[in-house]
Amino acid sequence: MKNIIDIEIVVPNQTRYLSMIGKIGENVARELDRFKGDREALAHHLNVVLTEGVVNAIKHANAADPNKEIKIRISASNQEICIKIYDSGQGFDLTNVPDPSFESDQLGEKGRGIFIIRSLMDSVEYKKNNGGNVLEMKKKLG
Amino acid sequence: MQLKIEVNGAVRIIYVKEERLDAHNSDELKAELNRLFDSGTKDLLIDLKEVRFIDSSGLGVLVSGFKNASARQGSFKLSGLQSQVKSMFELTRLHRVFDIFQTVDDALESY
């Protein structure tokens, strides 16, 4: 499966770069001209999952240390889009987050980011990688 | 963060004049909400007409404001949601929690 687009971004561990990273995701979606679905909705969803994934890395994995870095890789083919977000910190437990769609957790203030990522992507994994971790999110486009 | 605050009777209207309400700037909205609650405000209306993008941090601050207003027997209403912002409320089921209006005027008529 040949990637049409393969982008790697490295930014400091700071939330000020969220808007820029989200916009790159939107622009990638708009370039996928063989995608038959709603391209503007896909653009929004990529902006959202990139924002949520990077915020998780900044706050929970890299413990908000502004001297650390975050690496993001966006790969897109006609069949699939894959986003990887690398952190260099302690990580977090992807399975141990409340589900805000349950009524009891609906007014909680945590766990909504991971819930949103899981809702918008087809697969989400968080794995150890070279002393840090990688959040891997995939979405089928076919 | 650019916020404009208007007074309409007992209601404080906060216009969020940003394209994004996210983890980068939502703490500033939270601080402003807390300042208003601390000074005795109970009824808040947040206009999101200019907000094109919201993330879980932005939603979390609005949930926190809603809970704060409810604890004071006040109200916390929203207006002007753009379609992508509205889709995030629907995805997280929060559209069932908030009173959401098309415009500030519609919201003000509901008090």
Side-chain angles (χ1 to χ4, degrees):
Chain A
M1 187 163 55
K2 192 172 165 293
N3 286 333
I4 319 166
I5 297 172
D6 211 342
I7 301 174
E8 204 169 282
I9 313 154
V10 179
V11 290
N13 192 53
Q14 296 166 28
T15 54
R16 59 177 293 189
Y17 299 99
L18 290 175
S19 168
M20 181 192 83
I21 294 162
K23 277 185 188 137
I24 293 171
E26 288 191 336
N27 287 336
V28 167
R30 291 185 185 123
E31 291 300 325
L32 301 173
D33 47 14
R34 290 178 67 179
F35 176 60
K36 298 275 187 288
D38 182 341
R39 219 177 301 161
E40 276 312 298
L42 179 66
H44 176 235
H45 292 168
L46 295 189
N47 190 343
V48 171
V49 299
L50 278 161
T51 300
E52 300 293 351
V54 172
V55 170
N56 262 306
I58 292 174
K59 294 196 171 168
H60 303 305
N62 283 351
D65 179 348
N67 297 317
K68 287 191 168 166
E69 283 180 340
I70 301 224
K71 184 171 91 176
I72 301 133
R73 185 161 186 180
I74 307 172
S75 312
S77 69
N78 283 323
Q79 288 77 37
E80 185 181 75
I81 185 144
C82 175
I83 296 174
K84 293 181 184 175
I85 299 173
Y86 299 83
D87 65 64
S88 50
Q90 290 295 310
F92 59 94
D93 186 356
L94 191 64
T95 57
N96 188 24
V97 287
D99 180 345
S101 65
F102 289 140
E103 218 129 287
S104 57
D105 287 326
Q106 199 165 39
L107 292 181
E109 295 184 29
K110 293 213 170 97
R112 208 166 271 119
I114 293 296
F115 171 78
I116 289 169
I117 290 174
R118 282 214 172 104
S119 305
L120 298 179
M121 301 301 275
D122 294 319
S123 80
V124 184
E125 283 183 82
Y126 189 65
K127 299 181 283 200
K128 291 259 175 253
N129 178 75
N130 279 341
N133 309 279
V134 57
L135 177 69
E136 190 175 296
M137 312 180 276
K138 291 181 179 169
K139 189 174 182 71
K140 288 190 180 62
L141 300 177
Chain B
M1 155 173 257
Q2 295 275 356
L3 299 172
K4 189 177 99 182
I5 301 175
E6 269 181 20
V7 180
N8 188 296
V11 183
R12 296 289 178 280
I13 311 164
I14 302 184
Y15 295 87
V16 179
K17 302 182 86 63
E18 296 283 343
E19 194 188 293
R20 285 173 67 100
L21 179 56
D22 65 11
H24 184 54
N25 59 12
S26 56
D27 281 351
E28 292 175 58
L29 176 60
K30 188 168 192 171
E32 186 58 32
L33 293 175
N34 288 339
R35 194 188 65 76
L36 287 165
F37 286 126
D38 289 345
S39 65
T41 299
K42 288 180 184 164
D43 297 303
L44 277 161
L45 167 58
I46 316 297
D47 184 67
L48 298 172
K49 192 175 63 191
E50 293 189 27
V51 177
R52 195 178 69 85
F53 180 92
I54 192 165
D55 72 353
S56 63
S57 305
L59 293 168
V61 166
L62 297 174
V63 167
S64 149
F66 174 83
K67 289 198 290 193
N68 227 324
S70 303
R72 291 168 160 79
Q73 277 80 50
S75 62
F76 194 91
K77 302 186 183 190
L78 304 174
S79 65
L81 272 59
Q82 293 193 27
S83 60
Q84 292 186 345
V85 171
K86 197 170 163 213
S87 75
M88 294 300 286
F89 279 82
E90 288 166 353
L91 183 67
T92 54
R93 323 282 193 267
L94 285 172
H95 62 300
R96 298 180 192 161
V97 171
F98 291 96
D99 274 343
I100 299 173
F101 298 87
Q102 291 250 322
T103 65
V104 165
D105 286 345
D106 290 346
L108 287 174
E109 276 178 27
S110 73
Y111 286 98

